[in-house]
Amino acid sequence: MSKNKSGIWSFFSSVKLAIVFLSLIAFFALIGTLVPQREAAGALAERISPALFSFLQQMQVFDLYHSVWFFLLSGLLAVNLMICSVDRFPLAWRRFRIRPAPQNENAFKYLPEKNTFKIRADIHQAADTAVALLRKHYGDVARADEDGSVFLCSGKGRFSLFGVYIVHLSILLLIAGAIIGSVFGVEGYVNITEGEEVSAIHLRDNHQALPLPFSVRCDRFIVEFYENGAPKTFQSDLVFLKNGKMLQSGKLRVNHPIEVEGFRFYQASYGAAPGGKATLALRRDGGGRDVMNVSAGYIFELPGKEGTFQVLRVEENLMKMGPAVKVAVRSAGKEEAVFWVFQQIDQIRKISPDIFEQVPVFNPGLFRPYTFVLLGLEEKYYTGLQVNRDPGTPLVAVAALFLIGGLMLILFFYARQVWIRMDQEKDQLHIRIAGQSYKNKAGLEREVQYLLCELKDNLERSK
Amino acid sequence: MINTAILSWVTFIYFAAFVFYLFRMILGREFWGKLATGVALAGLVAQSVALIIRWKTSYALGMGHAPLSNFYESLIFFAWTIVLLYLLMERRLKNRSIGVFVLPVAFLIMAYASIAPGINNRIEPLIPALQSNWLTSHVLTCFMGYAAFTVAFALGMMFFVKTSAGGDLSKASVFIRLLPSEYQMDELMYSSAALGFIFLTLGIVTGSVWAHYAWGSYWSWDPKETWSLITWLTYAVMLHARLVRGWRGKRMAIMAIVGFGCVLFTYLGVNLLPSLHSYMT
């Protein structure tokens, strides 16, 4: 790399800039949690002027996390990260490669008194003891013998110098994985009524249909509740078919997705399927009772041949008063009678006894001499599935592992070097221990003190 | 239930520990400090016992899940991790003066869990979304992170208390003299924030893995996710500013306090926004 770096290079290699980008991304993320996003933005449209709304929409304020701004910011951060790392990596590489010489005058300059001690011992024996100690704690030991002096040097934790680059690499991988996901990924949903089969899903961002290379059938949807009313299980029994042959089948539950040909299916929601069937009973005053299965649109002849009745609608829960069926009875010479038949009519009348006077269309006996009774609805659910395909996920998973590994290296390890110097002074041995590190100076100081104590003990014991 | 009864007692135990730490700081007698440590430790043991009882009870009721499944349980666990982390730190540093800033936070959280209206302290079965092995590891790592950030916040507050008293220690009160030196507080603030940062990262990663299995995507910009990212970025700025730009002391203290604000919003404030993470019932 050339020494005279260009302006752009030095601009992007600044950590100040990284701090600005990190803060900007945090600020953008914050705005996104305050301004309603995507589907939720619709509610805001009614409260602000249309011009402002469309301006904000153009600025992609309502889809901030997928906006050009956010991509741009992530891209700039990525460039910043890369240049910062490339700019500083050679230094880390030099520090990693360097094997300091055993003789190091600088390390012993300004050495505090507590890092030295004197002892009566043979210098060669003492040096061997010190080498053994360094080998135990640090690994390889470099040694230099001079007349009346021994110099030793060892170190460890050098690989932790790369921690920060591993973390930066992981962030780049993360951004790459996220971009792959948003470009090649699919985020969709589909509702399937029990017993039905679909072969396309709807995309979440523009609600367009996307055909699947296979079809999905939902045989059954089960919802179970605890005694306190909270849901216990949501389960869809799914069958995946291709060209009439079964690819796969399984029970889809929350937290247990099913993957088919790269598409992952998730249990997301459920509901009552519209247009269900109902069981109606028809009672004639003083006469018999007919029971029939009906659904919207059905036309029947009245048992006494006075005319016909038609089922207009079948409702799961009309006005929060339970299941109901809307019926029209037509008879020659009479006005058409249209009314609702509630399943829980007895309870409704208990609460408001004069309901028939107030709302005549709620009277199931409006057409004399018949009374309609709704015995029940056939329960049918639809299951709401989330369908995703994200080819970026493996990359993001690798990034997460790198991120954690790199952070551990930075936090729990550090590169340091220790030197032991022994000088024969008359009948005494002058021993000095020095340490050097780029960070965690306090930790190194403690470590050197421990080393000093241990060496002193070992030497005294070997006397 | 017996576990909630013990837990409400623990609230008072932590308050007592705080008062004893305060006595030590005002009177300057180490007796109060030792008493405070003993009381805090007793509270931690009682709380651990209560948590284990609660865990076992959930099995006896046929639900079988760790006591980390609703807002009440998360508050209790938050207080537990704070006291645990603090006592470990006190032991290692042999310095009791941080307790007077940390214990009140633990006490307030416990009190909030016991008194605040609308907090359900019953053991309840898990709804489908929470029926995952990732629940425990996700909540555990997140709250370890939160606890470390709480300690960093307490140190940040201490830093301002110390600096506001001026430089001349000989004239300062016992309280100020007992506080660690500004250099020490700065180092501790950094270590706590860095530890919290690792745990928050683990919390976000375990959460992403879980979301990948439960919601269909490792990241869906849910407000809680977004705020955890904001918190993560805030501490990332703090660590970079210190390691590369050499920020120390006052600036670090401000970052520790701002970061804790983000933590609180991630934990509590997000419940005001529509979120998949809303379990404030």
Side-chain angles (χ1 to χ4, degrees):
Chain A
M1 201 176 13
S2 63
K3 278 285 164 209
N4 45 355
K5 294 159 186 167
S6 74
I8 296 175
W9 182 275
S10 58
F11 176 73
F12 271 109
S13 67
S14 126
V15 178
K16 239 187 216 168
L17 188 72
I19 290 175
V20 169
F21 282 145
L22 291 176
S23 312
L24 271 177
I25 291 177
F27 179 73
F28 258 71
L30 189 150
I31 296 296
T33 63
L34 300 179
V35 177
Q37 298 288 302
R38 291 195 165 183
E39 289 92 343
L44 191 69
E46 294 159 15
R47 285 191 286 147
I48 60 174
S49 80
L52 181 63
F53 185 81
S54 74
F55 172 74
L56 291 176
Q57 201 160 30
Q58 292 243 300
M59 292 282 111
Q60 296 178 303
V61 173
F62 300 123
D63 197 5
L64 214 50
Y65 305 126
H66 308 86
S67 67
V68 175
W69 311 113
F70 215 70
F71 274 106
L72 204 67
L73 214 48
S74 316
L76 286 173
L77 177 72
V79 171
N80 180 218
L81 262 178
M82 267 189 281
I83 293 185
C84 262
S85 302
V86 169
D87 200 51
R88 288 167 176 74
F89 187 76
L91 178 65
W93 183 246
R94 272 202 304 280
R95 286 175 169 180
F96 179 74
R97 286 295 301 276
I98 199 164
R99 291 290 181 274
Q103 296 101 323
N104 184 334
E105 283 303 322
N106 283 334
F108 291 97
K109 242 187 222 170
Y110 316 116
L111 193 72
E113 198 55 36
K114 61 178 183 175
N115 284 23
T116 70
F117 67 97
K118 289 183 179 170
I119 195 167
R120 281 174 205 279
D122 173 58
I123 188 165
H124 297 291
Q125 265 179 9
D128 290 343
T129 309
V131 166
L133 187 65
L134 285 177
R135 205 160 268 155
K136 185 176 115 194
H137 289 301
Y138 294 93
D140 287 344
V141 180
R143 177 173 177 167
D145 289 80
E146 281 176 14
D147 191 29
S149 297
V150 176
F151 304 87
L152 303 173
C153 166
S154 194
K156 71 172 173 183
R158 226 182 264 119
F159 55 88
S160 73
L161 291 168
F162 299 128
V164 63
Y165 302 99
I166 294 174
V167 169
H168 288 177
L169 179 68
S170 80
I171 303 293
L172 291 175
L173 290 176
L174 197 70
I175 293 174
I179 290 173
I180 290 174
S182 68
V183 174
F184 300 105
V186 170
E187 237 182 277
Y189 64 92
V190 65
N191 293 344
I192 314 176
T193 306
E194 282 178 299
E196 285 181 5
E197 190 177 324
V198 298
S199 54
I201 58 170
H202 305 283
L203 295 177
R204 202 163 277 284
D205 46 4
N206 56 14
H207 305 284
Q208 278 175 359
L210 175 86
L212 291 174
F214 51 86
S215 64
V216 194
R217 192 177 74 218
C218 174
D219 284 340
R220 203 158 64 121
F221 176 80
I222 303 165
V223 52
E224 289 172 37
F225 295 92
Y226 292 112
E227 278 171 24
N228 67 3
K232 183 182 181 186
T233 317
F234 303 124
Q235 182 187 312
S236 306
D237 295 351
L238 299 182
V239 181
F240 299 88
L241 304 135
K242 196 170 190 174
N243 306 327
K245 273 192 229 154
M246 192 176 84
L247 279 176
Q248 203 173 325
S249 72
K251 299 182 192 314
L252 182 71
R253 284 178 296 137
V254 181
N255 273 312
H256 300 275
I258 294 177
E259 185 168 347
V260 181
E261 298 196 348
F263 289 90
R264 294 172 73 96
F265 288 77
Y266 297 86
Q267 184 64 57
S269 65
Y270 77 101
K277 287 184 177 174
T279 311
L280 267 186
L282 190 52
R283 219 171 50 214
R284 192 191 159 97
D285 287 355
R289 189 177 112 134
D290 286 24
V291 176
M292 61 208 83
N293 286 324
V294 301
S295 67
Y298 278 35
I299 299 179
F300 292 88
E301 199 173 355
L302 288 168
K305 316 263 185 223
E306 295 91 340
T308 60
F309 76 90
Q310 185 180 9
V311 177
L312 299 177
R313 273 164 71 186
V314 178
E315 287 290 328
E316 296 285 332
N317 192 357
L318 185 75
M319 299 167 74
K320 292 181 181 160
M321 293 194 289
V325 173
K326 196 179 192 184
V327 182
V329 186
R330 300 179 190 109
S331 172
K334 277 194 185 174
E335 205 179 324
E336 185 186 53
V338 180
F339 51 91
W340 285 95
V341 183
F342 282 94
Q343 186 176 3
Q344 292 149 9
I345 191 67
D346 294 339
Q347 287 100 303
I348 295 169
R349 288 193 70 186
K350 218 175 267 171
I351 295 164
S352 42
D354 54 352
I355 183 95
F356 291 167
E357 285 75 48
Q358 281 178 8
V359 194
V361 296
F362 283 1
N363 184 354
L366 203 63
F367 187 84
R368 294 272 141 211
Y370 293 97
T371 303
F372 286 81
V373 179
L374 177 57
L375 296 177
L377 297 186
E378 188 191 55
E379 290 276 323
K380 209 170 186 185
Y381 288 113
Y382 72 84
T383 179
L385 306 180
Q386 168 139 352
V387 188
N388 284 6
R389 193 184 63 194
D390 187 348
T393 306
L395 201 56
V396 172
V398 171
L401 290 178
F402 276 28
L403 177 61
I404 292 168
L407 283 177
M408 298 258 184
L409 273 186
I410 295 173
L411 199 68
F412 299 133
F413 299 90
Y414 69 107
R416 69 273 203 195
Q417 204 72 35
V418 291
W419 288 268
I420 299 181
R421 175 177 178 170
M422 300 179 172
D423 297 291
Q424 192 77 57
E425 291 177 358
K426 293 179 193 158
D427 55 344
Q428 274 194 324
L429 205 53
H430 188 191
I431 299 181
R432 287 177 278 183
I433 306 187
Q436 262 182 10
S437 71
Y438 305 107
K439 58 177 193 182
N440 192 16
K441 311 259 184 205
L444 180 66
E445 212 171 283
R446 267 200 306 276
E447 199 172 291
V448 167
Q449 286 305 315
Y450 280 130
L451 194 65
L452 191 108
C453 292
E454 204 176 343
L455 181 61
K456 213 167 167 180
D457 281 356
N458 287 0
L459 290 176
E460 269 163 7
R461 225 178 296 135
S462 65
K463 258 188 200 168
Chain B
M1 268 188 281
I2 181 79
N3 66 78
T4 48
I6 298 175
L7 290 171
S8 36
W9 275 103
V10 170
T11 312
F12 295 106
I13 298 176
Y14 286 157
F15 182 71
F18 160 59
V19 170
F20 295 146
Y21 276 120
L22 197 61
F23 280 1
R24 170 186 176 266
M25 297 299 282
I26 293 168
L27 304 172
R29 294 258 317 271
E30 207 47 46
F31 163 77
W32 294 110
K34 282 178 185 159
L35 185 63
T37 305
V39 170
L41 191 63
L44 186 71
V45 170
Q47 193 176 6
S48 314
V49 169
L51 283 173
I52 291 167
I53 292 176
R54 196 176 169 89
W55 201 334
K56 288 190 77 174
T57 312
S58 97
Y59 273 92
L61 291 172
M63 299 166 195
H65 59 78
L68 302 169
S69 69
N70 60 22
F71 186 54
Y72 173 80
E73 290 176 343
S74 78
L75 283 168
I76 298 295
F77 185 68
F78 190 13
W80 185 82
T81 47
I82 289 174
V83 177
L84 175 73
L85 191 71
Y86 166 70
L87 285 175
L88 286 174
M89 214 166 112
E90 184 189 290
R91 203 184 138 86
R92 223 185 119 177
L93 298 171
K94 299 179 178 62
N95 188 327
R96 290 203 168 90
S97 46
I98 307 165
V100 76
F101 289 84
V102 174
L103 260 289
V105 182
F107 158 70
L108 285 176
I109 292 169
M110 291 295 288
Y112 183 67
S114 312
I115 312 167
I119 293 184
N120 180 1
N121 65 8
R122 279 196 302 270
I123 302 176
E124 298 210 311
L126 294 178
I127 59 165
L130 295 182
Q131 293 166 13
S132 168
N133 293 331
W134 292 96
L135 170 69
T136 310
S137 50
H138 175 55
V139 178
L140 212 74
T141 46
C142 284
F143 280 96
M144 293 304 278
Y146 289 1
F149 291 142
T150 308
V151 172
F153 162 76
L155 286 158
M157 299 299 280
M158 280 169 75
F159 187 89
F160 282 114
V161 169
K162 179 119 186 170
T163 49
S164 68
D168 191 2
L169 277 184
S170 56
K171 283 184 200 147
S173 63
V174 186
F175 192 100
I176 301 298
R177 262 181 283 149
L178 279 173
L179 292 177
S181 71
E182 285 170 29
Y183 172 78
Q184 267 179 317
M185 282 195 279
D186 178 76
E187 288 280 323
L188 286 173
M189 232 168 351
Y190 164 70
S191 315
S192 314
L195 187 69
F197 190 69
I198 284 243
F199 275 112
L200 179 64
T201 308
L202 283 171
I204 293 175
V205 169
T206 50
S208 296
V209 176
W210 187 6
H212 175 71
Y213 287 107
W215 296 337
S217 175
Y218 58 85
W219 194 267
S220 42
W221 295 105
D222 174 76
K224 194 133 192 150
E225 289 176 351
T226 310
W227 269 95
S228 74
L229 176 68
I230 295 170
T231 308
W232 191 85
L233 289 169
T234 306
Y235 285 103
V237 166
M238 177 176 173
L239 299 182
H240 278 89
R242 185 190 155 96
L243 290 174
V244 193
R245 305 285 313 164
W247 284 20
R248 291 288 187 279
K250 193 175 155 194
R251 287 174 166 191
M252 291 298 278
I254 290 172
M255 288 306 288
I257 293 168
V258 170
F260 187 66
C262 293
V263 168
L264 280 189
F265 197 82
T266 308
Y267 182 33
L268 304 173
V270 161
N271 293 301
L272 308 173
L273 305 168
S275 163
L276 290 169
H277 267 94
S278 51
Y279 30 66
M280 278 280 265
T281 44

